[in-house]
Amino acid sequence: MRVLVTNDDGIESRGLGVLARLAVEAGLDVVVAAPHTERSGASASLTALAEDGRLAVGERRWADLPDVPVRAVEASPALIGFVAAHGAFGPAPDLVLSGINHGPNTGHAILHSGTVGAALTGATHGALALAVSVAAADPRHWDTAEQVTRRALRWVIESGQRGSVLNINIPDVPPHELRGIRPAPLAAFGAVQADIGEVGARFVTVTFREIRAGERDQTDAGLVAQGWATATALRAPVEVAEVDLQALAWTGPGHRSPGPHDPDQRDRASSSNRSMSSRRHT
């Protein structure tokens, strides 16, 4: 199974190396391609630093994974996933692994996540996809993260659905304090809240503060705060069938009714004549 490992924290992130090593240990055919610098909050944007239409790519070597191709790409995580699906780094990936992110990706705020954006981009191109995050800006308990990620990776390989993303969030606690893994719905909020401060003629002051979930909150954000790792299945954007748009329908002046000389109209008339002739002879 061909695997792309990427992230939004950048090529130097420890979490990226951990995720790549776990993929290699699982016997997967791994290529690493990640932003050359941090691109957190990039969502699924397709942005890059390109010269003459060329995407800048640099080769790296990792001593602990000497046989794994590693690429530092001057692009957003989603664009990396996009070009990978079209053969930029060898055969298109069957599985996209994104992370391990330094910081949670919970609630509806995952809309803005480059980690989740890369995984969703892979999913829209038909790949299996896994996004993994640790709920700490500077994680300490990587053994816990590895334990949960191994389980999640095995589940995706055995039971994952193409076109969907398994989003995993892990509390930064020692293994003996991890309560387990729970399926969880998205919280209505994210990990941080933006506050607008002073507004001037040429600037706006924006600050961010952490939001703490309640002790009884059964969403992804709440369960992570209670010591659970959470699993949430995501799907790329789809239309909302429940919204009735018929009242919006309108036929404009540019619409032309089919005339007698239109090919489709002639075909329908011919079919109708044959049907009438058939009825007259029965």
Side-chain angles (χ1 to χ4, degrees):
M1 179 178 284
R2 180 71 169 176
V3 178
L4 168 69
V5 180
T6 190
N7 71 353
D8 72 358
D9 287 327
I11 195 71
E12 302 296 339
S13 168
R14 180 174 179 179
L16 181 70
V18 170
L19 187 55
R21 177 170 53 78
L22 293 176
V24 170
E25 291 177 359
L28 304 175
D29 179 16
V30 177
V31 60
V32 176
H36 74 298
T37 188
E38 183 176 353
R39 296 298 298 269
S40 296
S43 188
S45 62
L46 302 180
T47 56
L49 301 175
E51 295 182 4
D52 300 325
R54 296 180 178 180
L55 193 62
V57 180
E59 293 189 10
R60 299 291 179 89
R61 298 285 294 178
W62 286 353
D64 57 337
L65 296 174
D67 298 326
V68 174
V70 180
R71 304 287 184 264
V73 188
E74 297 186 19
S76 63
L79 183 56
I80 292 171
F82 181 88
V83 299
H86 292 274
F89 310 113
D94 304 296
L95 169 62
V96 173
L97 304 179
S98 188
I100 296 172
N101 193 65
H102 294 217
N105 277 303
T106 57
H108 291 174
I110 60 171
L111 171 68
H112 310 294
S113 166
T115 302
V116 175
L120 283 172
T121 300
T124 59
H125 285 81
L128 298 168
L130 171 65
V132 184
S133 305
V134 177
D138 186 17
R140 295 182 299 163
H141 302 288
W142 287 103
D143 45 355
T144 303
E146 291 185 21
Q147 177 184 356
V148 173
T149 302
R150 281 193 185 94
R151 288 179 174 270
L153 178 57
R154 184 166 59 248
W155 184 92
V156 169
I157 294 172
E158 296 174 354
S159 305
Q161 296 184 12
R162 295 185 182 276
S164 66
V165 173
L166 177 62
N167 187 41
I168 297 290
N169 281 277
I170 307 167
D172 189 31
V173 298
H176 68 274
E177 293 183 13
L178 179 68
R179 299 179 67 179
I181 304 174
R182 289 268 300 272
L186 295 175
F189 51 84
V192 296
Q193 174 69 50
D195 294 319
I196 304 300
E198 184 180 1
V199 177
R202 297 184 178 181
F203 70 91
V204 176
T205 301
V206 183
T207 58
F208 296 91
R209 56 184 172 85
E210 183 179 358
I211 297 178
R212 295 190 177 277
E215 294 183 358
R216 298 183 179 181
D217 190 339
Q218 297 298 298
T219 65
D220 56 353
L223 291 171
V224 168
Q226 296 164 37
W228 293 91
T230 61
T232 308
L234 309 174
R235 190 176 296 281
V238 295
E239 69 274 12
V240 181
E242 295 78 11
V243 177
D244 185 359
L245 300 176
Q246 289 305 311
L248 182 61
W250 174 66
T251 301
H255 174 73
R256 181 174 62 88
S257 298
H261 301 294
D262 287 343
D264 289 346
Q265 188 72 1
R266 289 200 303 270
D267 290 345
R268 285 193 292 271
S270 176
S271 176
S272 177
N273 290 337
R274 287 195 299 270
S275 178
M276 292 177 65
S277 176
S278 175
R279 288 198 297 270
R280 284 197 297 269
H281 289 82
T282 57

